[in-house]
Amino acid sequence: MSFIIWTLDRYLKPTTNSLVRFLLVGVVNTFIGLVLMFFLLNVAGLSYWTSTFTGNAIGACFSFLLNRTFTFKSNVSFHKGLPRFFVIILICYFSAYFCSEKLLEWTNQFYLLSTYTKENASILLGSTLYSMSNYLGQKYFVFKSIKTA
């Protein structure tokens, strides 16, 4: 893990915008999570919810460490930050994937989609919604810098 942080810091040091850093870390986390989700859903034959939850859980472990040290350069303690992080992750996960699943079910009324297409499109949409809400939650709740005057 420290090699990843060192590499990101060394080669992306000029990138100070937290959104850009979050997106860069998110590319790694999303890639890992999506590969795992699609594998579990399509190869292992697990359910939509099991696949998406497992993929996001694995990505979340990398996300906390990378976002704390690289994205937000936060000094928030593990004791304080970790519970907040998982609350945000769970809220973002359930709301994003629930909404995406319902939206694709609604869309299915107009465009008869196969179950395969509906579930896979729902994962992609859910991943997008999850990423957007997760950034806001982490920036303003989990890793929020405390200003001292």
Side-chain angles (χ1 to χ4, degrees):
M1 179 60 71
S2 58
F3 174 74
I4 294 171
I5 294 168
W6 177 83
T7 303
L8 290 171
D9 263 340
R10 178 169 169 91
Y11 295 105
L12 300 173
K13 196 133 186 115
T15 306
T16 57
N17 183 302
S18 67
L19 178 58
V20 173
R21 286 174 167 258
F22 182 84
L23 292 173
L24 292 170
V25 168
V27 167
V28 174
N29 294 337
T30 300
F31 178 76
I32 292 168
L34 284 175
V35 166
L36 187 56
M37 284 182 226
F38 286 126
F39 174 81
L40 293 173
L41 180 68
N42 297 308
V43 177
L46 298 179
S47 73
Y48 170 82
W49 286 105
T50 301
S51 299
T52 58
F53 187 82
T54 304
N56 274 298
I58 300 298
C61 294
F62 286 102
S63 181
F64 178 80
L65 296 172
L66 291 174
N67 283 323
R68 182 178 180 270
T69 57
F70 174 73
T71 303
F72 300 109
K73 305 267 187 206
S74 177
N75 59 359
V76 170
S77 69
F78 282 92
H79 178 71
K80 184 176 182 180
L82 205 53
R84 287 181 174 196
F85 177 82
F86 282 109
V87 165
I88 290 297
I89 291 292
L90 289 172
I91 289 170
C92 294
Y93 166 74
F94 284 112
S95 60
Y97 287 97
F98 176 80
C99 289
S100 68
E101 183 182 45
K102 294 303 175 193
L103 183 60
L104 266 292
E105 285 175 4
W106 177 78
T107 302
N108 199 40
Q109 296 174 14
F110 306 104
Y111 307 100
L112 296 172
L113 305 171
S114 70
T115 301
Y116 174 85
T117 301
K118 186 174 72 169
E119 287 180 340
N120 285 280
S122 184
I123 285 176
L124 290 175
L125 177 60
S127 179
T128 302
L129 295 173
Y130 172 81
S131 295
M132 293 181 335
S133 58
N134 189 22
Y135 170 75
L136 295 172
Q138 287 191 42
K139 179 174 177 127
Y140 295 109
F141 183 68
V142 178
F143 299 115
K144 184 177 180 181
S145 297
I146 299 169
K147 307 262 192 248
T148 55

